[in-house]
Amino acid sequence: MLNIVLFGPPGAGKGTQAEKLIAKYNLVHLSTGDIFRANIKGETELGVLAKSYIDKGNLVPDEVTIKMLEAEVEKSTNAVGFIFDGFPRTTPQAEALSTFLESKGTSISVMLALDVEEQELVKRLLLRGKDSGRADDQDESIISNRIKVYNEQTAVVADFYDAQNKFQKIDGVGSIDEIFNRLCAVIDKHKVSL
Ligand code: AMP
């Protein structure tokens, strides 16, 4: 299997690139943010809980997020691989994912970390907020809290994969196709050695 963690701060372009990557490599896209938003729209119990965190730009608790992610993986029994987008966001999530995938006889192949500087992120998120209607993209104080949460709780997840020689930093500035080509180059190199 080819299991990719697509990593980076909010606004780094993970969702955009994930859409292109799943088409090229036939992978299943699992975005925890998208799954939470679908639950919020459907007014499920999980959605109500998630909304109280998402609206402030805070992380949904690990236990809830991990359980939800694992249930989503279980649904795709015939997948040739997954793109995890927005997950793991904490070290306990990374550890849980590792244990879970191991129980399925597989593992993360590579973490692709999109690198974009903070000023550019804020600019991109505010622009996205105008089109997407996402409340957490429209308020600068929520955006800065999300970036703070990323720096304080999520950035460290890169070390988890670096320690396993699975961390690859990708320049996340440029055109969508330029960035996509950078990602594909690393994946293709990696696939040869799988
Ligand atoms: P995203 O669409 O990835 O930007 O996620 C939107 C929001 O959903 C985040 O700001 C968090 O509140 C929540 N969220 C998404 N993924 C996770 C995760 N792996 N762990 C905790 N909270 C998450």
Side-chain angles (χ1 to χ4, degrees):
M1 284 181 104
L2 177 64
N3 296 314
I4 298 171
V5 171
L6 195 54
F7 194 67
K14 300 186 293 293
T16 306
Q17 295 298 335
E19 287 306 324
K20 291 173 73 71
L21 291 170
I22 53 163
K24 177 162 175 167
Y25 295 100
N26 237 331
L27 304 171
V28 173
H29 180 200
L30 288 184
S31 156
T32 39
D34 285 352
I35 304 166
F36 283 134
R37 281 185 288 278
N39 275 278
I40 292 171
K41 209 167 158 207
E43 296 177 354
T44 67
E45 203 179 313
L46 173 64
V48 173
L49 176 86
K51 191 176 184 319
S52 64
Y53 294 92
I54 293 176
D55 280 354
K56 298 188 189 87
N58 292 327
L59 295 184
V60 178
D62 281 341
E63 203 187 288
V64 178
T65 307
I66 290 165
K67 206 169 127 206
M68 176 185 86
L69 189 277
E70 292 183 354
E72 289 296 322
V73 172
E74 298 281 8
K75 284 185 197 166
S76 301
T77 39
N78 293 321
V80 298
F82 292 92
I83 292 196
F84 298 98
D85 161 7
F87 184 95
R89 258 177 159 98
T90 63
T91 302
Q93 289 182 14
E95 286 165 351
L97 180 63
S98 170
T99 307
F100 178 69
L101 291 179
E102 206 177 306
S103 78
K104 306 263 154 215
T106 186
S107 61
I108 291 299
S109 316
V110 65
M111 167 190 261
L112 303 173
L114 290 169
D115 185 35
V116 179
E117 67 157 45
E118 199 162 314
Q119 250 186 333
E120 172 70 14
L121 296 173
V122 177
K123 207 173 84 188
R124 287 187 190 180
L125 289 169
L126 287 169
L127 201 67
R128 184 170 78 184
K130 284 188 191 156
D131 299 327
S132 71
R134 275 181 60 171
D136 61 345
D137 283 345
Q138 292 177 20
D139 182 316
E140 262 198 81
S141 68
I142 299 175
I143 290 176
S144 38
N145 188 45
R146 286 162 66 203
I147 295 173
K148 182 169 167 270
V149 166
Y150 174 83
N151 289 330
E152 289 176 358
Q153 298 179 54
T154 304
V156 70
V157 175
D159 299 341
F160 180 88
Y161 292 98
D162 199 20
Q164 301 173 24
N165 287 323
K166 291 178 176 174
F167 171 76
Q168 295 278 344
K169 187 156 126 179
I170 313 281
D171 181 2
V173 180
S175 73
I176 289 175
D177 283 335
E178 275 165 358
I179 300 164
F180 180 62
N181 290 336
R182 287 174 203 147
L183 291 165
C184 293
V186 176
I187 294 171
D188 293 340
K189 205 172 95 191
H190 204 83
K191 275 183 83 178
V192 174
S193 64
L194 273 180

